[in-house]
Amino acid sequence: MTKGVLLDLAGVLYEGDTAIAGAVAAVGRLRAAGLPLRFLTNTTRRPRRAILARLDRLGFEVAADELFTPARAARAVLSERGLAPHLLIHPDLAEDFAGSAAGGPDLAVVVGDAGPFFTFESLNAAFRVLDGGAAFLALAANRAFRDEDGLRSMDAGAFVAALEYAANRKAEVLGKPAPGYFAAALASMGVAAGDAVMVGDDAEADVAGALKAGVGAAVLVRTGKYTGGDETRAAPPPSATLAGIGAAVDWILSR
Amino acid sequence: MTKGVLLDLAGVLYEGDTAIAGAVAAVGRLRAAGLPLRFLTNTTRRPRRAILARLDRLGFEVAADELFTPARAARAVLSERGLAPHLLIHPDLAEDFAGSAAGGPDLAVVVGDAGPFFTFESLNAAFRVLDGGAAFLALAANRAFRDEDGLRSMDAGAFVAALEYAANRKAEVLGKPAPGYFAAALASMGVAAGDAVMVGDDAEADVAGALKAGVGAAVLVRTGKYTGGDETRAAPPPSATLAGIGAAVDWILSR
């Protein structure tokens, strides 16, 4: 019996600025069934404000508290540990860190998907801060994504790997597949991991990540970044691999 | 009994454009003892021509055939396998690949220390070629180096790691510590690995790399990139850790 649902955003509910067919109705059916929902994205290119505005524009009714972003998780870590961030992120995301720089002497390098703002200079600056002993937080560790032209592009995880290799240290990943990210979303709706279902298009970060975090079931959808055979490339494998969010909601409601 | 010596360049014989004190005389003593020498650098910032000119300017007599560079190793691999290179290197190194682009349909991404020419665009272009199935050659896999201002900078290995992570593939490393790089230098002087000694300032690439390749002994010098305790951070550890090239030559000649 499912008691709560975790949904990925890009590639599951929308692609770029277009809702995936049937997605608005599918989310509506979960709401109508009385299931609490949380939306877990690994996007670090856009601030919360822009993500919420896009969801609203596309017809999804999502409350601010229902949206989990890696930047939100990072803010919590910086605050708990009294760290000031050295940000290596896309400038569009900077507003989500407003005010967090007023920290003590201890720094944390925070890496998001800076895209074209990953330069030798910006990476090297972060490397030197790490070399000086700063904490090392990765908003996400995704390998690649499909950009607006349909071309595969290097995602934040690749640049985190570059810094990890140079500094010979490991980053603490805050977004999916970090167990703590799933745990925070589950706790906020008061649902035990085993009673929840995750729906995502990323076999590694969404599906295997959720299952490793104890989530009861995880559905891989064949939209977004999905490419044929993804369901065999991650472990644990998906509980089900379905055409899209509509079929995923059918599956959840019939369990 | 030592029958041949392998010497690293930067940090062992010179720093920037200055010979390390006693280095010219030390190399002269190895020559006077009748030992064949090979010079193995992981530098991919400068072409062979410029490295040989610097050695000459500083008073080291080094023949072109005695100098091993990762670009030389890459040329051999491209030629043997009939691959055309997609170069992600510093433009200064391009002359070492002149003519090699006239290959067949099969590509190899070749990554060197491109420094400021590592951009999101150049990395992403290489990533897409890798994604298309190209071979993946890394000229070197060094983590970091000390630049002319004395600051630590990210080296080629960090950007190789970024591409490896994004493409979920491993690069074939051609420079130190690749066993084949040491083997090619040893073969060119007709000396068995066990009868040779390596001298370097990098505990990982020079020292542990040579020992893993079967080289009889490896001396770590406390010049160049050496920082206190390096001798305990790589495995196998150095056969000896000495003040510099002068002491290393004393050690070799007294074995």
Side-chain angles (χ1 to χ4, degrees):
Chain A
M1 180 69 186
T2 302
K3 294 186 181 166
V5 179
L6 306 173
L7 298 169
D8 180 34
L9 293 180
V12 174
L13 299 191
Y14 53 72
E15 305 239 33
D17 234 346
T18 310
I20 286 176
V24 172
V27 173
R29 287 193 288 140
L30 292 172
R31 298 274 194 206
L35 287 167
L37 309 181
R38 291 297 181 269
F39 300 82
L40 268 76
T41 180
N42 263 14
T43 287
T44 61
R45 274 276 177 110
R46 285 180 183 76
R48 290 180 66 72
R49 187 185 45 78
I51 296 168
L52 288 167
R54 170 178 282 177
L55 284 165
D56 187 62
R57 200 163 56 238
L58 298 180
F60 297 101
E61 288 178 25
V62 174
D65 279 355
E66 292 177 323
L67 174 62
F68 281 73
T69 67
R72 174 175 170 175
R75 285 298 293 255
V77 167
L78 293 168
S79 163
E80 278 160 24
R81 303 187 199 164
L83 298 168
H86 173 102
L87 299 171
L88 180 54
I89 59 171
H90 197 286
D92 287 351
L93 190 66
E95 67 181 66
D96 282 1
F97 287 91
S100 65
D106 292 332
L107 287 171
V109 168
V110 178
V111 186
D113 175 21
F117 298 90
F118 283 123
T119 64
F120 184 67
E121 290 72 20
S122 69
L123 283 160
N124 229 7
F127 166 61
R128 288 168 181 167
V129 174
L130 288 175
D131 230 20
F136 188 2
L137 305 177
L139 294 178
N142 297 60
R143 296 181 193 272
F145 64 96
R146 216 166 274 285
D147 71 12
E148 280 151 23
D149 301 322
L151 294 170
R152 294 231 301 153
S153 282
M154 294 169 78
D155 209 332
F159 298 91
V160 171
L163 290 165
E164 287 185 331
Y165 188 83
N168 208 1
R169 293 176 53 185
K170 283 282 168 197
E172 180 178 346
V173 178
L174 300 179
K176 297 173 284 185
Y181 195 51
F182 292 104
L186 292 163
S188 79
M189 55 182 182
V191 170
D195 294 330
V197 178
M198 171 79 201
V199 182
D201 65 336
D202 185 318
E204 236 172 334
D206 292 332
V207 170
L211 295 171
K212 283 183 195 161
V215 171
V219 178
L220 181 66
V221 289
R222 294 199 180 92
T223 50
K225 74 170 66 167
Y226 174 86
T227 46
D230 275 359
E231 59 269 42
T232 66
R233 280 192 277 269
S239 313
T241 304
L242 302 170
I245 181 68
V249 168
D250 290 343
W251 188 88
I252 291 165
L253 296 179
S254 68
R255 284 181 94 207
Chain B
M1 179 73 185
T2 301
K3 295 185 177 164
V5 179
L6 305 173
L7 298 169
D8 180 33
L9 294 180
V12 174
L13 299 190
Y14 53 72
E15 305 238 33
D17 233 346
T18 311
I20 286 177
V24 171
V27 173
R29 287 193 287 140
L30 291 172
R31 297 274 194 208
L35 287 168
L37 309 180
R38 292 297 183 269
F39 300 82
L40 269 77
T41 179
N42 264 14
T43 287
T44 60
R45 273 278 177 111
R46 284 179 183 76
R48 291 179 67 70
R49 188 184 46 76
I51 297 168
L52 289 166
R54 170 178 283 177
L55 285 166
D56 187 62
R57 201 163 57 237
L58 298 181
F60 297 101
E61 288 178 23
V62 175
D65 278 357
E66 293 177 323
L67 174 61
F68 282 73
T69 67
R72 175 175 168 175
R75 284 299 291 257
V77 167
L78 293 169
S79 163
E80 279 159 23
R81 303 187 199 165
L83 297 169
H86 174 102
L87 299 171
L88 180 55
I89 59 172
H90 197 286
D92 287 351
L93 190 67
E95 67 182 66
D96 282 0
F97 287 92
S100 67
D106 292 331
L107 287 171
V109 168
V110 177
V111 186
D113 174 21
F117 298 91
F118 283 122
T119 63
F120 184 68
E121 291 70 22
S122 69
L123 284 160
N124 229 8
F127 166 61
R128 288 168 181 167
V129 174
L130 288 175
D131 229 20
F136 187 4
L137 305 177
L139 294 179
N142 297 61
R143 296 179 193 274
F145 63 98
R146 216 166 275 284
D147 71 13
E148 281 149 25
D149 301 322
L151 293 171
R152 293 229 304 151
S153 281
M154 296 169 77
D155 209 331
F159 299 91
V160 171
L163 289 166
E164 286 184 332
Y165 187 84
N168 207 0
R169 293 175 53 184
K170 281 284 166 196
E172 180 179 347
V173 178
L174 301 179
K176 297 172 286 184
Y181 195 52
F182 293 103
L186 292 163
S188 79
M189 56 180 181
V191 170
D195 295 330
V197 179
M198 172 78 201
V199 182
D201 66 335
D202 185 319
E204 236 174 332
D206 292 333
V207 170
L211 295 172
K212 282 184 197 162
V215 172
V219 177
L220 181 66
V221 289
R222 292 200 182 93
T223 50
K225 75 171 65 166
Y226 174 86
T227 46
D230 276 358
E231 59 270 41
T232 66
R233 280 191 276 266
S239 314
T241 304
L242 301 168
I245 180 68
V249 168
D250 292 342
W251 189 89
I252 290 166
L253 295 177
S254 68
R255 282 183 95 206

